[in-house]
Amino acid sequence: MAAQRVGNKSPSVSSIEDLDGFAVAVTREDGLWKCRALTDSALTSLDTAVTELRELRSSGAVFGLLNVDDEFFVIIRPAPSGTRLLVSDATMAIDYDLAADVLDALNVDIPDIDPDELDDVEPWEEGDLAILKDMGLPEPVLAVILSETDLYPDEQLEEIAQRLGFDDVWAAALDKLR
């Protein structure tokens, strides 16, 4: 994923004050897309993000798109059968608690990489590439978006929004966050 890294972060960045980024809930009811901001705490806690998404109580699809520090993104899709997850760069579990929580929930070990060598490691995704398939984003298309390492995570999320057809409400939600 994000080949460009802003620099080394301290291990396990978990403080909201230390993070840039955004967390947005996306819902689709009766063919209409809606986006709304999640709290800043969703950027540091998988449990918080999942809880906030579940509290939306939408009759249609609900998922969260989280951009953390322009280093990686997470897609969260709660369902009665369990929460589906995708992290765009598993190597970020070295520096970010949210990424580590996602890997833990996926039963994937945190990569054994020296934090000083992160810039030299090719990033890879972990999780469910079919997470948005029923919404109209097939696995191969999501895989191509994830492989576009010249794009920042917010640009990749914008591409996902565009492919699914909610880029206008996505842009409006991000404008409100700014």
Side-chain angles (χ1 to χ4, degrees), residues 54 77-84:
R54 286 193 174 154
R77 188 147 181 211
S81 61
T83 300
R84 297 169 66 189

Side-chain angles (χ1 to χ4, degrees), residues 36-149:
R36 61 175 272 206
L38 298 173
T39 66
D40 289 342
S41 298
L43 292 175
T44 59
S45 169
L46 179 59
D47 289 338
T48 299
V50 170
T51 299
E52 288 183 32
L53 289 167
R54 286 193 174 154
E55 287 175 351
L56 292 176
R57 307 240 190 262
S58 173
S59 62
V62 175
F63 56 94
L65 300 175
L66 288 65
N67 169 14
V68 182
D69 256 357
D70 264 338
E71 292 287 337
F72 67 100
F73 69 84
V74 176
I75 302 175
I76 303 169
R77 188 147 181 211
S81 61
T83 300
R84 297 169 66 189
L85 299 164
L86 176 71
V87 61
S88 64
D89 183 354
T91 68
M92 291 293 100
I94 303 294
D95 284 342
Y96 293 89
D97 290 343
L98 179 64
D101 290 346
V102 170
L103 291 186
D104 186 51
L106 293 169
N107 293 317
V108 174
D109 291 334
I110 293 175
D112 186 19
I113 301 168
D114 184 319
D116 294 331
E117 296 174 5
L118 273 178
D119 289 339
D120 301 326
V121 176
E122 192 66 32
W124 69 89
E125 74 277 350
E126 285 288 350
D128 186 357
L129 282 172
I131 193 166
L132 300 173
K133 181 179 178 182
D134 64 321
M135 305 299 303
L137 188 65
E139 291 177 55
V141 175
L142 184 54
V144 167
I145 293 169
L146 287 162
S147 71
E148 294 178 8
T149 58

